[in-house]
């Protein structure tokens, strides 16, 4: 992406030594890189976490911020992926209670047949996701009584006749990523640009980095390397090693943020064509709306007018009781999903991750695809593979707060 799109470095100096040696070097400090740093620390293995920007400054700050089983998998039939997400959701609620809030999401239906199918699907979803540490007793699931449905302004005038509520977990993605990094003893080299790799011993041996704060050079040597570069993976592999193979397909999604609307108490998950979900989520004193899907070529692309228009169109047709176009958009954001390359539309590509052992550098692993929700579990597996050490406390050890403050989601 253009140099100007990267966040400018802060004024403070980096205190790390100029010549560094670790067991594992991780490039990319999104949710995957940060989760791996924690896993390695829990196993007593040294590591460095390198990012050209800031920790949690990539896709991991532009998601829908749900730690979820993925109710859409109920629709696409990917039950295994859904159950893995549900199990991981419970783990996050245990290890990061300060960054999580349980919610009862309402899925509205247009008629009784759809209502019945939602009740069956959601019944199974909540049955498989019955492990919900810290679930607030006041939230109710299942059938929403008509009177309650009609007290929500989204429930009047529109095509919906009622709703069924299911459980899911909301988070703050960037803060969670930073907590993971803070829960590790990794040497954090943020705002560092990788410049040139040294090869040796049949693999990668060291990396020369430029500190974007002051232009100084650092050398990082490691026995093993992990690239967790999210949507920037293909571009980096082309730039660093001249590789033209596309490992990923990229799909942009946008969110718009409006002022809170009185009476919109619960998040809504509205089914859309092609297996997509339109989320309308009251959080942090605002109303978050998203998301879309557009295939793109780069990890950093602008929001298109047509894309914004598509989201407005979906809001107007599904929730006509609110004057969407008169409501000021307080913020808008775009994130790019790294999806493992495959055929067909990106909406139908799996959100599952792949760990690829590089063919030319056997001590390099690439993290491709994935989700916030399953990042811990995937990195637990990778850390076990890299070190030969299992770690029982990964699913129970509380995360440290990077700033000492819980980001309470209201
Ligand atoms: C719109 C949208 C909604 C989503 N909603 C959800 C959701 O609700 N729940 C869920 O579980 N998942 C969701 N996801 C998926 C999830 O956000 C991503 O899969 C996840 O954040 C990817 O994390 P990552 O660590 O792989 O990549 P990133 O977070 O992008 O991290 C990659 C890092 O690499 C760094 N980097 C890039 N190039 C270089 C370089 N040359 N040198 C050094 N560093 C570099 C970047 O700065 C970045 O920090 C959503 C994604 C999108 C786009």
């Amino acid at each position: 992406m253009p140099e100007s799109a990267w966040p400018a470095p802060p004024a403070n100096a980096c205190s790390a030594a100029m010549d560094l040696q670790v067991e594992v070097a991780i490039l990319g400090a999104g949710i995957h890189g940060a989760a791996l740093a924690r896993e390695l620390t829990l196993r007593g293995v040294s590591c460095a976490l390198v990012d050209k920007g800031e920790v949690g400054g990539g896709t991991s700050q532009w998601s829908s911020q749900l730690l979820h089983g993925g109710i859409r998998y109920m629709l696409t039939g990917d039950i295994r992926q859904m159950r893995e997400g549900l199990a991981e959701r419970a783990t996050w609620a245990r290890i990061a209670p300060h960054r999580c809030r349980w919610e009862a999401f309402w899925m509205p239906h247009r008629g009784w047949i759809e209502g019945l199918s939602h009740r069956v699907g959601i019944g199974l979803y909540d049955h498989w996701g019955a492990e919900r540490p810290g679930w607030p007793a006041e939230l109710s699931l299942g059938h929403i009584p008509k009177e309650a449905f009609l007290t929500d302004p989204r429930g009047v005038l529109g095509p919906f006749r009622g709703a069924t509520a299911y459980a899911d977990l909301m988070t703050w993605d960037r803060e969670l990523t930073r907590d993971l990094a803070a829960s590790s003893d990794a040497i954090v080299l943020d705002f560092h640009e990788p410049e040139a790799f040294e090869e040796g011993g049949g693999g990668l041996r060291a990396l020369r980095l430029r500190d974007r704060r002051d232009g100084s050079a650092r050398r990082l040597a490691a026995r093993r390397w992990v690239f967790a570069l999210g949507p920037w993976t293909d571009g980096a592999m082309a730039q660093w090693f001249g590789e033209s193979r596309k490992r990923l397909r990229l799909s942009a999604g946008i969110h718009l943020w409006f002022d809170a609307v009185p009476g919109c108490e619960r998040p809504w998950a509205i089914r859309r064509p092609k297996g997509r979900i339109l989320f309308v989520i009251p959080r942090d004193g605002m109303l978050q709306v998203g998301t879309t899907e557009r295939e793109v070529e780069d990890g950093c692309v602008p929001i298109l007018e047509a894309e914004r228009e598509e989201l407005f169109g979906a809001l107007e047709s599904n929730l006509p009781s609110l004057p969407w176009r008169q409501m000021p958009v307080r913020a808008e954001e775009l994130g790019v999903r790294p999806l493992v390359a495959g055929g067909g539309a990106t909406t139908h590509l799996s959100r599952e991750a792949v760990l690829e052992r590089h063919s030319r550098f056997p001590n390099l692993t690439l993290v491709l695809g994935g989700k916030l929700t399953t990042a811990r579990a995937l990195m637990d597996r990778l850390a076990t593979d890299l070190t030969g050490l299992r770690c029982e406390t990964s699913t129970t050890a509380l995360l440290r707060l990077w700033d000492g403050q819980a980001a309470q989601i209201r």
Side-chain angles (χ1 to χ4, degrees):
M1 71 178 174
E3 207 49 46
S4 56
W6 289 96
N12 66 327
C14 173
S15 58
M18 291 304 176
D19 211 343
L20 296 157
Q21 168 86 48
V22 291
E23 182 64 24
V24 183
I26 308 162
L27 270 57
I31 192 95
H32 286 112
L36 179 60
R38 171 179 178 263
E39 293 298 329
L40 293 168
T41 300
L42 288 172
R43 289 163 173 82
V45 173
S46 66
C47 64
L49 188 57
V50 178
D51 202 289
K52 189 169 168 181
E54 54 192 344
V55 175
T59 311
S60 302
Q61 66 171 344
W62 297 308
S63 78
S64 301
Q65 315 201 78
L66 304 176
L67 298 168
H68 58 166
I71 194 77
R72 69 189 283 276
Y73 301 138
M74 204 73 214
L75 313 172
T76 56
D78 196 342
I79 304 300
R80 198 199 54 70
Q81 207 181 151
M82 187 187 82
R83 295 194 70 172
E84 185 193 6
L86 288 170
E88 271 309 291
R89 188 182 74 172
T91 302
W92 288 114
R94 261 196 312 274
I95 67 173
H98 49 277
R99 295 289 185 216
C100 294
R101 196 186 89 186
W102 285 108
E103 256 299 358
F105 281 70
W106 288 13
M107 180 168 276
H109 52 259
R110 292 167 179 81
W112 72 270
I113 296 182
E114 194 180 38
L116 189 64
S117 76
H118 285 182
R119 268 207 242 175
V120 173
I122 283 172
L124 273 173
Y125 187 79
D126 283 338
H127 171 72
W128 284 325
E131 191 190 356
R132 296 192 284 268
W135 174 259
E138 68 274 14
L139 289 182
S140 14
L141 299 176
H143 173 68
I144 302 296
K146 194 85 184 167
E147 319 77 70
F149 183 71
L150 291 174
T151 57
D152 190 309
R154 292 165 292 184
V156 290
L157 289 180
F160 300 114
R161 299 287 159 263
T164 312
Y166 67 90
D168 254 333
L169 195 64
M170 307 208 304
T171 187
W172 262 20
D173 47 8
R174 191 186 74 136
E175 312 308 316
L176 186 67
T177 302
R178 291 184 168 195
D179 286 352
L180 285 163
S183 304
S184 79
D185 295 335
I187 300 167
V188 177
L189 300 171
D190 53 358
F191 300 100
H192 276 68
E193 165 107 61
E195 287 198 323
F197 287 89
E198 288 171 30
E199 298 177 31
L204 294 179
R205 189 167 54 191
L207 168 62
R208 200 180 64 236
L209 291 156
R210 183 174 55 83
D211 186 344
R212 293 179 56 233
R213 292 173 176 83
D214 57 10
S216 58
R218 285 201 160 73
R219 182 176 178 276
L220 172 65
R223 280 185 4 104
R224 294 176 190 281
W225 297 79
V226 175
F227 293 176
L229 297 164
W232 292 277
T233 304
D234 284 335
M237 296 308 283
Q239 184 190 335
W240 296 335
F241 307 112
E243 292 184 5
S244 56
R245 178 160 78 87
K246 291 267 183 235
R247 295 170 165 89
L248 295 174
R249 295 208 18 223
L250 306 180
S251 154
I254 67 169
H255 293 106
L256 304 179
W257 292 78
F258 298 92
D259 290 331
V261 175
C264 294
E265 300 289 335
R266 301 268 76 85
W268 278 36
I270 301 169
R271 282 178 64 182
R272 297 186 64 198
K274 299 188 193 154
R276 288 179 299 168
I277 302 272
L278 170 65
F279 286 109
V280 181
I281 303 179
R283 55 176 296 155
D284 308 324
M286 301 190 85
L287 196 65
Q288 179 195 18
V289 167
T291 175
T292 54
E293 281 217 38
R294 166 171 64 102
E295 184 152 11
V296 294
E297 288 299 319
D298 190 61
C300 182
V301 290
I303 296 180
L304 296 183
E305 192 45 47
E307 200 169 18
R308 205 180 280 117
E309 189 51 40
E310 206 253 332
L311 194 49
F312 269 107
L315 288 166
E316 285 180 330
S317 61
N318 286 290
L319 306 171
S321 57
L322 295 180
W324 294 103
R325 296 199 192 255
Q326 276 93 61
M327 290 162 56
V329 176
R330 298 296 179 197
E332 52 184 27
E333 59 191 16
L334 175 143
V336 175
R337 299 175 189 88
L339 304 175
V340 176
T346 53
T347 37
H348 286 89
L349 286 184
S350 168
R351 267 56 175 158
E352 271 192 291
V354 166
L355 298 174
E356 180 192 312
R357 180 68 63 89
H358 195 265
S359 53
R360 188 167 136 218
F361 307 119
N363 63 344
L364 166 62
T365 305
L366 300 169
V367 179
L368 306 172
K371 302 188 287 275
L372 294 176
T373 311
T374 45
R376 187 218 58 84
L378 185 72
M379 294 301 101
D380 187 0
R381 210 173 85 210
L382 176 56
T384 304
D385 285 354
L386 292 175
T387 64
L389 302 169
R390 288 187 168 281
C391 177
E392 298 304 326
T393 53
S394 169
T395 54
T396 53
L398 271 186
L399 297 195
R400 252 179 254 151
L401 298 170
W402 75 272
D403 57 354
Q405 291 179 24
Q408 280 301 338
I409 302 166
R410 285 164 287 131

